[in-house]
Amino acid sequence: MRGRLARRRLAGPLALSAAALALLVVLAAGIGSVPIGPGEVLAATGRGLETSLRGVLGLAPTVEEAGLDAGRRVADTIVWRIRLPRVALAALVGAALALAGAGFQGVFRNPLADPYLLGAASGAGFAASLVMVGGGTVALLGRFGVPLAAFVGATATVVVVVALARRGWTLPVVPLVLAGVVVGSCLTAGTSFVLLAAREQAAGILTWLLGSFAFASWERVGSVLPLLVVAGAGLLAAARALDVLQLGERAAAQLGVPVEALKLTVVAAGTLATAAAVSVAGVIGFVGLVVPHAVRLALGPDHRRLVPIAALWGAGFMVLADLVARTVIAPAELPVGVVTALVGAPFFLVLLRRGSPQ
Amino acid sequence: MSGPKLQATDLTFGYDPARPVVQDVSLHVDASEVVFLLGHNGSGKTSLLACLSGVQRANAGSITIDGRDAYAMTPTERAQRIGLIPQLHVAVFGYDVLDVVLMGRAPHLSTFSAPTREDRAIALESLDRVGLAGFHERRYTQLSGGERQLVMVARGLTQRCDVLLMDEPDAHLDPRNQLRVLEVVSDLAREHGLSFVVSSHAPNSALMFADRVLLLRHGRTLALGSVKDTLTETLLSEAYAMPTEVISKTVNGQRVPRAILPRRIDKVPDEIATLALDPDALEQPGSSLANLVHASRTRAQRTLVTGARGTGKSRWCERLVDQARRRGWRVAGVLSPPVMDGEHKVGIDLLDLTTGQRQRLADVRRDAGQGTTTERWRFEDATLSWGNEVLRRAQHAAPQLLVVDELGPLELQRDAGLLAGIAAIDALEQGLACVVVRPSLLDAALKRWPDAIVVDVEDR
């Protein structure tokens, strides 16, 4: 039995989750082939931030930086240039997927919904694999080629699915989900074909499909963050209406909830978050499915708590998963999608065995 | 202020306007009133409730709440006056009961404001009113169906509206929980002045709890009025396209309807008095059958042997014939034993009781209905004329026991078939006549032989 306070308050769990996430980020940035202590991580982060800010503001580097010893400089590079972008990207992607999962489960009133339900992953995968195969022709897109293709593929797929499912100005849920599944299957088949035809690039495509943060950079962090903020704001605004929607569409409409607008908002916000995540990290499963359930188990189903806390827990879970992915068989890496599936699948089975996820 | 709380005038609604599911329905609901909506599946009950609640906009007609045009209000304004409780829904996620009830505050809150202490107090008070005080921390998904329905009522009360529309609140509930939910509805109407429109598939619930009833048939008003005026056998039979029986009780000299039942076809109507006769008690002193036989020595006694299909009417006659033969009676007439193929009755034979001769009378009908047919059987015209010959001979034999098994729709409604059987029964001056008749034809047979005694073979 959860305590009454735990089910009513937001501030406490939110602060606790944020603090835990921050700690996790600092620890994760310290772990690797060259271990770096938490203090050193914080210091390096501070210097990295300062340097970047000075760069942005057009100021000269400080004397202190110029005078740093070689060891410090290496640590700074490892933390600020390599590990921190990767950890931050993992956190953002985890947050985005958990947000989208919470939103989709709420709007479809289905505990099995996940961010890829409407075909975003299949669309992104197909588009990304095409770009990877046709590398030369799209070289002009440069290092943003694959992420851009994945983002466009994901959003375009959901737009098509919504267009197929809509009836006039309404968006009935069952046709929407069916259209998502069917369109997704088609695109997955397309990706399989590309994989077969690709030969040399097949391994690279497969790695991307399973998800990885190996290509993390501050640029990618910067491209995901604004999308995540917009999607998160949309879902937070929809949170209370999502609660009322659980009474059923008709009852919710009668209570003054603009049901069709709500569905569109949540589908749009969830798709934006999913597309942002997939574009920089590939298709990482189970986070969006499992994290919202874990939050409901601990704190109840109220969406005003579920949405922000799922984002924080999703971030934390992904940071941990990536940490495992890059350390267990170091110097090689596991695809992070393999790690989330290995942890997520058993957890979900336990949920299923316990009956309906609370 | 007086006047109806809710007034709907000439509502017409269809998802496809060319095919309306609700047509020209008018309804008013006063304060403290419970109005039941009854009608067959697809009669438009749910659509009408959706229109009344404002969730669906009617294609034509108007709705006023306290005299104000409902469609001119914002959804939030409407929701502060009317609440809609759809059919029992299955919640996917395990909200606390209090959270569910608080959802009723939605029309009173803006997007980002959280429920206040006052909202919470209203929710707790509502739970108390539906008899669920102390349930607020329980998990909604773990409640019984009846309790969940009551939580939905509390959610409606938390909306602070005066009219609650409930779509089949008694569906999927056991009788005790149906009663519990509807008693809460009734109390809230009587004691707190709330008005209810309740759709239901249970006319008996309406009988107990409705102030007025709207009977819908194919989206149109069949009847609207008091329980006494609407829940009649004629109207209910029409509403459900099914013979319906209203059982009444006399209280203080007045007939009060107490129960509504479908009338089973092929069942002996209650108003026809029947007698149970044991064919083996033919000469048992003092038995009804022995008395009947005694009376038949001076004057013909006619019995109509009846009972639903498969209850053994022919078998009953056979036993009587056996008993009579054992005593050396003159027995005449015909029996029609079934011809079975495994468990299925595939034909009927005709058996002459005097000679023991037997011919195929009828087969299950397979064609479109050439020749002499009923809904189920195709009759052999040759056997029918042979049977008439047998029965004419029986009439002249002046039998002590005359059996005619059976007189069906051919003979009693269409002046065809074994008409010599009717003549033989008519002509009988002394002796016992047994005519097998199915329950639906009893009225016709009694019209012909008003003093006949009805023997119900099911009645033991």
Side-chain angles (χ1 to χ4, degrees), chain B residues 431-447:
Chain B
L432 184 62
C434 293
V435 185
V436 174
V437 174
R438 68 191 65 171
S440 55
L441 293 171
L442 260 183
D443 277 335
L446 280 168
K447 210 164 273 174

Side-chain angles (χ1 to χ4, degrees), chain B residues 9-325:
Chain B
T9 314
D10 297 330
L11 286 187
T12 295
F13 169 75
Y15 297 93
D16 172 3
R19 289 174 34 214
V21 289
V22 174
Q23 226 172 332
D24 299 322
V25 173
S26 295
L27 173 71
H28 68 92
V29 187
D30 292 323
S32 282
E33 208 179 22
V34 179
V35 177
F36 264 67
L37 290 186
L38 298 180
H40 56 87
N41 281 328
S43 61
K45 299 185 296 295
T46 301
S47 299
L48 178 59
L49 289 179
C51 287
L52 291 175
S53 72
V55 171
Q56 294 286 4
R57 189 167 186 144
N59 303 117
S62 66
I63 298 175
T64 59
I65 308 170
D66 284 327
R68 284 186 56 200
D69 181 2
Y71 289 135
M73 298 178 184
T74 65
T76 316
E77 280 180 310
R78 257 199 314 266
Q80 293 175 12
R81 291 167 177 83
I82 296 191
L84 174 67
I85 299 171
Q87 280 183 39
L88 195 61
H89 88 292
V90 182
V92 179
F93 303 117
Y95 286 88
D96 279 358
V97 166
L98 183 64
D99 290 327
V100 176
V101 176
L102 272 171
M103 289 173 192
R105 293 308 288 167
H108 301 264
L109 298 172
S110 62
T111 311
F112 287 103
S113 61
T116 62
R117 192 179 296 247
E118 193 188 335
D119 293 320
R120 214 151 285 176
I122 292 171
L124 288 172
E125 183 199 328
S126 305
L127 273 174
D128 190 31
R129 277 208 209 161
V130 299
L132 292 183
F135 273 62
H136 56 285
E137 280 187 47
R138 296 271 290 273
R139 200 67 51 77
Y140 178 72
T141 37
Q142 290 168 359
L143 300 184
S144 75
E147 286 162 349
R148 264 184 275 163
Q149 197 57 247
L150 289 174
V151 169
M152 283 297 127
V153 176
R155 192 267 292 166
L157 294 180
T158 305
Q159 240 172 295
R160 280 285 153 97
C161 46
D162 339 287
V163 183
L164 270 181
L165 313 172
M166 301 181 76
D167 197 4
E168 293 187 35
D170 47 2
H172 312 296
L173 298 186
D174 64 35
R176 180 177 158 274
N177 275 305
Q178 289 179 19
L179 201 69
R180 184 175 173 196
V181 169
L182 291 172
E183 266 172 354
V184 166
V185 165
S186 186
D187 288 350
L188 289 169
R190 304 276 166 287
E191 287 162 30
H192 299 281
L194 269 90
S195 310
F196 287 87
V197 181
V198 179
S199 83
S200 173
H201 277 305
N204 283 304
S205 299
L207 209 54
M208 280 188 283
F209 293 103
D211 295 309
R212 280 187 305 128
V213 176
L214 172 60
L215 279 179
L216 283 175
R217 189 161 172 274
H218 301 308
R220 291 175 177 277
T221 303
L222 179 65
L224 170 63
S226 69
V227 169
K228 210 175 119 241
D229 293 340
T230 52
L231 300 183
T232 64
E233 290 187 353
T234 319
L235 284 171
L236 286 167
S237 301
E238 206 183 332
Y240 294 111
M242 167 191 82
T244 306
E245 188 171 2
V246 177
I247 296 175
S248 301
K249 213 172 162 182
T250 307
V251 180
N252 299 330
Q254 286 216 307
R255 299 277 283 167
V256 181
R258 295 308 296 270
I260 293 161
L261 293 172
R263 196 192 287 282
R264 212 179 108 205
I265 314 227
D266 256 25
K267 180 158 186 337
V268 182
D270 282 344
E271 56 268 31
I272 296 177
T274 61
L275 190 63
L277 290 182
D278 179 2
D280 298 332
L282 192 58
E283 284 183 340
Q284 190 180 314
S287 75
S288 304
L289 186 56
N291 292 341
L292 206 60
V293 168
H294 182 75
S296 74
R297 303 231 165 91
T298 50
R299 196 166 158 253
Q301 298 296 319
R302 298 177 177 91
T303 60
L304 302 175
V305 180
T306 196
R309 188 190 288 170
T311 47
K313 300 187 282 287
S314 290
R315 177 89 201 97
W316 188 92
C317 292
E318 266 176 53
R319 278 165 66 197
L320 186 65
V321 167
D322 280 352
Q323 293 291 331
R325 282 207 175 116

Side-chain angles (χ1 to χ4, degrees), chain A residues 47 50-51 54 60-74 76:
Chain A
R47 283 193 293 273
E50 193 186 341
T51 312
R54 281 180 174 275
T62 54
V63 185
E64 190 190 344
E65 188 182 324
L68 277 181
D69 61 68
R72 273 241 169 116
R73 222 174 259 184
V74 170
D76 274 18

Side-chain angles (χ1 to χ4, degrees), chain A residues 22-91:
Chain A
L23 189 66
L24 206 56
V25 166
V26 170
L27 289 177
I31 297 173
S33 52
V34 181
I36 299 170
E40 201 57 26
V41 168
L42 285 175
T45 306
R47 283 193 293 273
L49 268 177
E50 193 186 341
T51 312
S52 301
L53 273 177
R54 281 180 174 275
V56 169
L57 299 174
L59 301 174
T62 54
V63 185
E64 190 190 344
E65 188 182 324
L68 277 181
D69 61 68
R72 273 241 169 116
R73 222 174 259 184
V74 170
D76 274 18
T77 306
I78 290 174
V79 169
W80 184 252
R81 296 272 163 231
I82 299 170
R83 287 199 196 143
L84 215 49
R86 180 170 184 147
V87 171
L89 193 66

Side-chain angles (χ1 to χ4, degrees), chain A residues 2-242:
Chain A
R2 297 182 294 264
R4 209 181 148 175
L5 278 179
R7 279 176 77 84
R8 294 273 167 263
R9 296 278 162 80
L10 172 61
L14 197 65
L16 216 61
S17 304
L21 177 63
L23 189 66
L24 206 56
V25 166
V26 170
L27 289 177
I31 297 173
S33 52
V34 181
I36 299 170
E40 201 57 26
V41 168
L42 285 175
T45 306
R47 283 193 293 273
L49 268 177
E50 193 186 341
T51 312
S52 301
L53 273 177
R54 281 180 174 275
V56 169
L57 299 174
L59 301 174
T62 54
V63 185
E64 190 190 344
E65 188 182 324
L68 277 181
D69 61 68
R72 273 241 169 116
R73 222 174 259 184
V74 170
D76 274 18
T77 306
I78 290 174
V79 169
W80 184 252
R81 296 272 163 231
I82 299 170
R83 287 199 196 143
L84 215 49
R86 180 170 184 147
V87 171
L89 193 66
L92 291 186
V93 166
L97 290 176
L99 269 179
F104 281 1
Q105 285 169 8
V107 81
F108 298 133
R109 286 179 285 148
N110 186 340
L112 291 177
D114 86 343
Y116 307 137
L117 188 66
L118 299 183
S122 321
F126 183 61
S129 58
L130 274 184
V131 168
M132 283 188 250
V133 170
T137 54
V138 283
L140 60 151
L141 292 172
R143 61 201 158 156
F144 282 114
V146 171
L148 198 61
F151 185 83
V152 172
T155 43
T157 303
V158 177
V159 168
V160 167
V161 165
V162 167
L164 284 175
R166 80 182 176 91
R167 300 278 181 279
W169 290 102
T170 67
L171 196 55
V173 164
V174 173
L176 182 64
V177 172
L178 284 177
V181 170
V182 170
V183 171
S185 304
C186 287
L187 291 169
T188 305
T191 309
S192 303
F193 179 75
V194 172
L195 264 175
L196 276 176
R199 303 260 164 95
E200 308 97 77
Q201 292 106 321
I205 296 175
L206 210 55
T207 308
W208 187 89
L209 284 176
L210 284 169
S212 170
F213 294 107
F215 304 104
S217 67
W218 284 121
E219 270 167 353
R220 291 194 169 191
V221 170
S223 69
V224 173
L225 187 62
L227 297 172
L228 180 65
V229 168
V230 171
L235 286 172
L236 269 181
R240 205 163 53 79
L242 275 177

